[in-house]
Amino acid sequence: MKVLPAIVSGLALACAPPAARAEDAGAALSRLFDDERAFVWREDPLAATYDGVHAYDDRLPSVTPADQQRRMDADREFLRRLHAIDRAALGAQELVSYELFDFMVSQRLALARHREWRAPLNSDSGFHADVLLMHEIADLRSTADYERYIARLGDLPRYFDENIANMRVGLREGFTLPAEILPGVSSIVAAEQFARPEDSPFFDPFEDFPATVPESDRARLTAAGRAAIEAAVLPAYAKFQEF
């Protein structure tokens, strides 16, 4: 008796006119795309900021092994939902989007199985360099924008610590960068050390406020930004250089 509702539902779908089935399939595909983007933006606040979504501008990604596993599980669920959609009921453009989404998420899963997070940098880029651009993508226009940016600066030690912990996993498991490139990596990280907050690119937004930030807030924001860089950002980079 438990299978009866499913049988009835299946019969109803089979008997539905083609236009209705296409609408259902198209709506399911659209919901899937929206859910996947919302998940990606929530999981990777930097990606959200790059895409113009500023709801998570007060934080950086979490990159622990548990976070990596959760993202893999989510991608498997996204693919399950995708493959449950009736391809035959999709329009031509929707079918192209279906195939591209299938490729994108499948590739993410394929790469994730290698646990590349154990070596989150290469000879000329990596997590330590990516965040150097976050002041450029923040699009700071208001006092609240600056406050979120300052909160993100304060989150940088946690983000660096998680990446260093992941690299220690890589060291234990023999998954590391080639020794030949380490001097070059070290020189790049050395160049990211700054004696004063004002010398750091993270301080740039406090050098030139947009007109939309009230004059009365600027001194407070500058002091808070300087304090965050001095107490959180500079020590995090120094700790990474030592590692």
Side-chain angles (χ1 to χ4, degrees):
M1 294 298 295
K2 291 183 179 179
V3 300
L4 185 57
I7 294 174
V8 172
S9 176
L11 288 173
L13 182 61
C15 296
R21 291 202 301 274
E23 183 178 354
D24 289 343
L29 191 66
S30 181
R31 281 194 303 273
L32 175 58
F33 292 167
D34 289 344
D35 290 347
E36 186 271 345
R37 279 297 89 188
F39 179 82
V40 167
W41 289 331
R42 188 169 61 250
E43 292 288 312
D44 188 350
L46 287 174
T49 304
Y50 270 110
D51 289 343
V53 176
H54 298 289
Y56 311 105
D57 282 358
D58 60 344
R59 70 201 74 166
L60 291 164
S62 293
V63 294
T64 67
D67 295 314
Q68 311 293 344
Q69 184 61 53
R70 183 179 63 255
R71 289 163 193 149
M72 286 184 67
D73 293 342
D75 279 341
R76 290 191 186 98
E77 176 60 14
F78 289 139
L79 285 181
R80 185 201 64 77
R81 287 174 57 185
L82 180 73
H83 297 156
I85 294 172
D86 182 8
R87 288 166 47 97
L90 295 173
Q93 187 58 53
E94 290 173 330
L95 191 56
V96 171
S97 298
Y98 178 108
E99 297 289 354
L100 287 173
F101 186 87
D102 197 356
F103 175 81
M104 176 184 72
V105 179
S106 295
Q107 287 301 301
R108 277 203 315 239
L109 270 174
L111 291 173
R113 294 186 186 102
H114 296 288
R115 299 160 68 218
E116 289 183 304
W117 48 265
R118 293 174 293 169
L121 72 166
N122 54 40
S123 60
D124 60 359
S125 63
F127 70 93
H128 60 98
D130 294 342
V131 294
L132 285 171
L133 299 176
M134 71 186 197
H135 66 287
E136 297 182 358
I137 65 172
D139 193 27
L140 304 174
R141 298 175 181 271
S142 68
T143 296
D145 291 340
Y146 270 84
E147 289 171 341
R148 284 190 289 269
Y149 175 70
I150 292 167
R152 179 174 271 179
L153 292 174
D155 196 31
L156 197 138
R158 190 267 317 158
Y159 181 57
F160 271 44
D161 283 348
E162 290 181 0
N163 276 287
I164 290 172
N166 288 345
M167 295 176 73
R168 292 191 187 281
V169 174
L171 286 171
R172 289 196 301 269
E173 298 179 355
F175 188 87
T176 66
L177 297 175
E180 288 79 5
I181 72 169
L182 288 180
V185 173
S186 182
S187 66
I188 291 172
V189 178
E192 296 167 347
Q193 312 300 313
F194 299 97
R196 305 180 309 143
E198 291 82 357
D199 299 330
S200 164
F202 294 106
F203 193 77
D204 288 357
F206 304 101
E207 300 278 15
D208 185 20
F209 284 90
T212 47
V213 175
E215 193 77 41
S216 57
D217 290 338
R218 296 181 185 184
R220 174 180 64 83
L221 293 170
T222 299
R226 181 183 292 109
I229 295 170
E230 187 168 34
V233 176
L234 300 186
Y237 273 95
K239 183 177 181 180
F240 183 50
Q241 172 72 9
E242 181 181 353
F243 170 77

